[in-house]
Amino acid sequence: MAVRRASVSAFRALTSSRNLNSSILTRDLHASPGSKKIVGVFYRANEYAEKNPNFLGCVERALGLREWLESQGHQYIITDDKDGPNCELEKHIPDAHVLITTPFHPAYVTEERIKKAKNLELVLTAGIGSDHVDLKAAAAGGLTVAEVTGSNVVSVAEDELMRILILVRNFLPGYQQVVRGEWDVAAIAYRAYDLEGKTVGTVGCGRIGRLLLQRLKPFNCNLLYHDRVKMDPELENQIGAKFEDDLDAMLPKCDIIVINTPLTEKTKGMFDKDRIAKCKKGVYIVNNARGAIMDTQAVVDACNSGHIAGYSGDVWYPQPAPKDHPWRYMPNHAMTPHISGTTIDAQLRYAAGVKDMLERYFKGEEWEFPPENYIVKKGELAPQYR
């Protein structure tokens, strides 16, 4: 509860700390003074919106920004209708100045949409991960793309740890037995293991990967990581993690593999049939990064054969996942909708982060966002997306 109260206080303090009646200044590049049209794309909460006043990341609450934006004379359009040529988003793209979306219900900002969006200047991700944007087209079009880096790091890392335990302990079959009125201990116990002593490797070791490794340390696991760069030696020593420069050499060492790398042109389809075959037979895989990092059918085939003993994650491609998506029906999975980074605490953090960047943008300070938030800035992609 202390974390939640701190998050609420941070959002309220941000809401009232700045002069909300300050005049709008001209942007450094091509912004014009006056009213802006902001389009927000979020998932619809329906009856759940009223169950928690801090449920900000939905259509109904729209990050808690409507009253503030409209008091400044801006237009704020909110929708969950984002796909297809006749969707609501398509109607507003041509004259929108700012687009806000989330990884949990992403508006795909394609090159075609960018070309239509003659007024678009800023694309904000309420959360982490901006692969729903064609970043090269955004850079070529002079757009600024930014996200709220760090806003849901804790949320995702905790979720990954939970999924590891769910798979290793064979939890879901036991739960399903109870729901069905059954009792068969043997059907669960024959493939349930301790986490202690297992080798866990993370593919990608940024903020989420490092936090996961720190949380795994008390479980006395063997910890490995593969990344573009090594972590600080002191932190590496504190965690007790070993750097693996060669991904394919790390994979067969791991009992559990966690995907923590962003989706880029290089990582799309990274785990195809051949790479999965390099993993230890009976491996557990957790993927809260992006669904398209995995070859969909290769995962299904490996789960069917038992090469993958269990697969869990909350990311799919596309999103929302269609009803016939094969991951819904493969054996030994613990999949959910994309929920890990949208806890109420995370929503408060990324709502506050979006508001902070909008305030800077309206004042012509879009080059003064927190540096780590930029994904595209002045035509340059952030290093992890190059």
Side-chain angles (χ1 to χ4, degrees):
M1 289 302 294
V3 173
R4 178 178 171 182
R5 285 195 294 269
S7 299
V8 174
S9 298
F11 182 71
R12 288 175 178 165
L14 182 61
T15 302
S16 60
S17 63
R18 297 182 186 272
N19 178 7
L20 301 185
N21 293 313
S22 58
S23 57
I24 301 168
L25 304 179
T26 304
R27 284 185 64 194
D28 289 349
L29 292 182
H30 46 268
S32 58
S35 175
K36 300 293 183 183
K37 181 174 182 177
I38 296 98
V39 177
V41 179
F42 310 105
Y43 54 80
R44 190 170 293 279
N46 299 312
E47 69 272 22
Y48 301 105
E50 298 306 316
K51 294 181 181 293
N52 190 329
N54 294 318
F55 192 172
L56 299 179
C58 57
V59 164
E60 291 81 355
R61 290 241 163 72
L63 301 183
L65 299 176
R66 181 180 295 281
E67 183 177 350
W68 169 66
L69 286 171
E70 292 180 350
S71 74
Q72 301 298 294
H74 304 299
Q75 185 182 10
Y76 193 24
I77 304 296
I78 304 300
T79 185
D80 67 332
D81 185 16
K82 64 188 181 65
D83 297 318
N86 299 315
C87 70
E88 193 68 17
L89 175 60
E90 284 290 323
K91 299 175 185 177
H92 296 285
I93 275 286
D95 60 346
H97 297 93
V98 180
L99 175 63
I100 307 169
T101 185
T102 78
F104 318 106
H105 189 73
Y108 292 102
V109 185
T110 61
E111 182 178 12
E112 181 182 3
R113 279 180 166 169
I114 290 171
K115 288 179 179 178
K116 292 179 182 177
K118 302 301 183 183
N119 292 341
L120 191 61
E121 298 161 349
L122 178 63
V123 179
L124 294 177
T125 297
I128 303 173
S130 298
D131 47 89
H132 51 276
V133 181
D134 185 326
L135 297 177
K136 287 188 176 179
L143 304 184
T144 297
V145 181
E147 57 191 41
V148 190
T149 299
S151 59
N152 52 21
V153 166
V154 170
S155 312
V156 176
E158 288 183 356
D159 188 272
E160 288 177 342
L161 178 55
M162 175 189 71
R163 291 175 190 274
I164 290 171
L165 289 167
I166 284 173
L167 291 178
V168 171
R169 300 307 295 263
N170 205 24
F171 174 84
L172 279 182
Y175 168 76
Q176 291 160 353
Q177 277 191 24
V178 171
V179 172
R180 294 192 300 261
E182 301 171 357
W183 188 281
D184 187 350
V185 173
I188 306 161
Y190 85 101
R191 63 191 311 271
Y193 299 90
D194 295 338
L195 180 54
E196 184 175 52
K198 302 301 184 291
T199 298
V200 183
T202 176
V203 181
C205 198
R207 292 175 177 84
I208 295 171
R210 290 195 298 270
L211 203 57
L212 173 66
L213 293 178
Q214 288 173 318
R215 278 153 172 67
L216 282 168
K217 184 178 180 181
F219 287 88
N220 296 320
C221 301
N222 303 311
L223 303 175
L224 308 177
Y225 73 97
H226 170 78
D227 199 84
R228 295 179 298 112
V229 294
K230 292 187 67 174
M231 69 175 75
D232 177 77
E234 184 177 352
L235 179 61
E236 186 180 75
N237 185 59
Q238 288 174 357
I239 296 173
K242 180 184 175 185
F243 175 71
E244 295 279 343
D245 182 59
D246 187 337
L247 173 60
D248 290 335
M250 182 184 82
L251 296 179
K253 301 175 185 177
C254 297
D255 301 298
I256 301 151
I257 295 168
V258 185
I259 311 300
N260 276 312
T261 189
L263 176 62
T264 67
E265 290 182 359
K266 293 179 181 178
T267 63
K268 186 175 183 179
M270 171 189 281
F271 277 79
D272 56 12
K273 178 181 178 181
D274 292 339
R275 180 152 274 136
I276 290 173
K278 294 176 182 178
C279 300
K280 181 184 293 187
K281 181 174 174 56
V283 68
Y284 299 101
I285 298 179
V286 171
N287 178 17
N288 280 1
R290 288 295 181 267
I293 293 171
M294 316 299 291
D295 180 309
T296 299
Q297 191 58 47
V299 171
V300 174
D301 293 343
C303 285
N304 283 327
S305 72
H307 194 84
I308 294 178
Y311 184 89
S312 185
D314 69 335
V315 287
W316 310 66
Y317 186 79
Q319 289 189 183
K323 291 183 178 180
D324 62 351
H325 196 293
W327 286 359
R328 293 180 183 267
Y329 309 106
M330 63 189 182
N332 301 317
H333 81 77
M335 295 296 295
T336 68
H338 195 169
I339 57 170
S340 64
T342 189
T343 63
I344 296 300
D345 301 285
Q347 289 178 46
L348 289 164
R349 290 189 291 264
Y350 61 67
V354 168
K355 185 173 189 292
D356 176 66
M357 288 189 286
L358 285 174
E359 285 186 308
R360 295 171 190 262
Y361 163 68
F362 294 146
K363 293 181 178 182
E365 299 172 358
E366 67 271 27
W367 305 139
E368 298 181 26
F369 293 172
E372 65 274 14
N373 285 11
Y374 287 106
I375 303 302
V376 177
K377 179 181 181 181
K378 297 183 179 180
E380 292 289 330
L381 273 64
Q384 66 269 33
Y385 286 98
R386 292 175 190 165

